[in-house]
Amino acid sequence: MGSVTCNPLAPPSTHLLLNPSKIPKFCHSRRQLHGSQRAPKIIAYYGLKTPPYKLDALEPYMSKRTLEVHWGELHRGYVEGLNKHLAKDDVLYGYTLDELVKVSYNSGNPLPVFNNAVQVWNHDFFWESMQPGGGDIPKYGVLEQIEKDFGSFTNFKEKFIGAALTLFGSGYVWLVLKREERRLAVVKTSNAINPLVWNDIPIISLDMWEHAYYLDYKNDKGTYANVFMNHLVSWNAAMSRMARAEAFVNLGEPKIPIA
Amino acid sequence: MSKDTLEYHWGKHHRAYVENLNKQIVGTELDGMSLEDVIIVSYNKGDMLPPFNNAAQAWNHEFFWESMKPGGGGKPSGELLELIERDFGSFDRFLKEFKSAAATQFGSGWAWLAYKANRLNVDNAMNPFPSEKDKKLVVVKSPNAVNPLVWDYSPLLTIDVWEHAYFLDFENRRPNYISVFMDKLVSWEVVSKRLEIAKARATKREMEEERRKKEEEEENSEDEAVEVYVDGDESESE
C-alpha cells in the first residue's frame, strides 16, 4: 500500500574502509500511504560501526578492556544519543554524517546534536586510523607528501607527538590535508572539534581524551602517543584517505544532488 | 575512591601541576603572589596566559581534596542547609542540579556549588539595586581548568569530572561516580566553613565599597566648592 523510496546516495562513509564488511548504514526511507491511513514516518538511524579488527587485536598496545569500554560503551552511547536527537528533529533529516557534522557545528555556535554526531564520526575515524601491526612508516605518496610538507618523517612524528603532549584537557590530534593551502599539517583540537568544520580533510587521528588511554597508560600521555605512532597507526588507511582527499582538493568535491 | 586513584590523581597529576607552575613563575612577577592572585592575573579576562592552567589546576585540586572526607556524605545542616533550601527549593533539587551539571560538563572540567555576591565583575558595570537577595548559592560548571574565582564567585564545593578522576574506579560511568561522591564523600563541614568565610568576605567588601564611595563623594563636594566660573560680560548658564 505504499512505495518505499530508498535513498542510496548517502555515501557509505567518509573514509575508505579496508574491510568493507561493516553493517551498512540504513537507507533513509519514507512510506507513502494512500487512503486515510496516517503515514508513519520512518527515519533512518545510525548504527554502531564495529572497528575493522577484533577488540583484543590491538593488544598489548591498547587493551581489550579499553576497547570494550571506549567502543562498546562510550562510542555506543554517542550513537544512541545521536539517534535520540534524530528522532526528535525533522530538520536533521537527510544529511550524511559528514554534512551533519558541518551543519550542526553551525559556524561555532553548535546545535545540541553536534557533540553526539561529531563524536560518532570521530570515533569511527579513530578506530579505522589504527590497525593491528600498525606503525612503521608510510610509503609512496603519503611519505612523499609528508616529507614535502614537514621536511622529514621524523619531524612530522615529533610535531604530532608534541601536539599530543601539549593538548590541555580533552581533544584530538590530527594529520590533516589543508584544502586551501594544499598541504598536510598537524592540528590539535579541543573536546570534539573536528577539522571538517574548517573544511579541511582529516587523514589520521589520535584520541587524546583521557578515556582513550587511562586504563592502559594512566597519566603517561607520552608513552601512549609514541605507542600509537610506532605500533598502531594505520598508514594503509591514511593512504586511501589521502587518495580521496587529493581528488577532492584537486578536482573539487562532487555535488551529488539528493533526490 | 581507591588508593590507586589517589596515588595517580594526587601523586602524579596534581603534583605535576604544582611543579610545572613553579617552573613557569620562578623569577617572574607572579612569583610572590598568592595562588588566587596568580589565577586571576593569568586568566587575563579569558585570554589565558601560560601559567593559568597549572595555577588553576593546582588550586582546584587542593580545593577538591578538602571537599571530601572519609565517611562523608549525608546532608548539610544549619545555615548552609537553609540557604540551599532558599535558593534551590529543597536539598533534593539542589542535588539534582549539581549532579546534572557534573554529568553534562562535556569534555574535561568541574562542577561547583558557589556563593555569588551581588557584584558584577565587569569594569564599568554597576549593580544598580544591590540587595540581599542577589547574594545566593549557585551551581555552575566550568571547562578544563577554569574555576569560579575568575567570575568573582566564592566556590564552596567542587567535583572533578576530568576522566582521570574517576576512570580507574568507575570507567565511563560518570553518573555513578557523581552519586557516590555526593552520598559518601562530600564534607559538608568544610562547605559550611567556606560559606561563612565567603559571607564574611562579601560583607567586608561591601563595607569597603561604601567607605570608598563616601570618600569619593567627599572629594567631589570639595572640588565643587572650589570651582569658579569666570564670566565675561554675558552670563552663561551651564
Side-chain angles (χ1 to χ4, degrees), chain A residues 127-158:
Chain A
W127 303 132
E128 288 160 10
S129 297
M130 296 190 288
Q131 66 174 80
D136 203 16
I137 60 170
K139 300 202 265 292
Y140 313 124
V142 175
L143 183 60
E144 277 175 34
Q145 192 71 36
I146 286 184
E147 288 178 338
K148 176 155 152 260
D149 292 330
F150 292 98
S152 69
F153 181 75
T154 319
N155 195 19
F156 152 71
K157 194 167 149 181
E158 261 177 41

Side-chain angles (χ1 to χ4, degrees), chain B residues 107-172:
Chain B
S108 308
W110 305 75
W112 307 82
L113 171 65
Y115 180 73
K116 172 177 179 263
N118 56 358
R119 312 160 62 82
L120 296 171
N121 182 33
V122 183
D123 282 338
N124 60 348
M126 271 199 315
N127 184 342
F129 298 115
S131 80
E132 274 304 303
K133 281 197 291 172
D134 291 339
K135 295 196 197 133
K136 55 188 186 174
L137 299 178
V138 289
V139 163
V140 288
K141 57 190 183 192
S142 61
N144 290 358
V146 178
N147 73 37
L149 289 177
V150 307
W151 307 316
D152 211 22
Y153 293 2
S154 301
L156 303 177
L157 170 65
T158 190
I159 178 170
D160 187 349
V161 289
W162 282 61
E163 286 167 330
H164 63 234
Y166 59 89
F167 223 73
L168 293 179
D169 298 330
F170 295 91
E171 285 172 340
N172 63 313

Side-chain angles (χ1 to χ4, degrees), chain B residues 52 103 111 118 179 199 204 214 219:
Chain B
F52 176 75
N118 56 358
S179 292
K199 291 178 69 172
K204 189 163 139 226
K214 251 192 247 157
E219 279 178 31

Side-chain angles (χ1 to χ4, degrees), chain A residues 22 44 174 227:
Chain A
K22 292 326 140 305
W174 308 83
V227 161

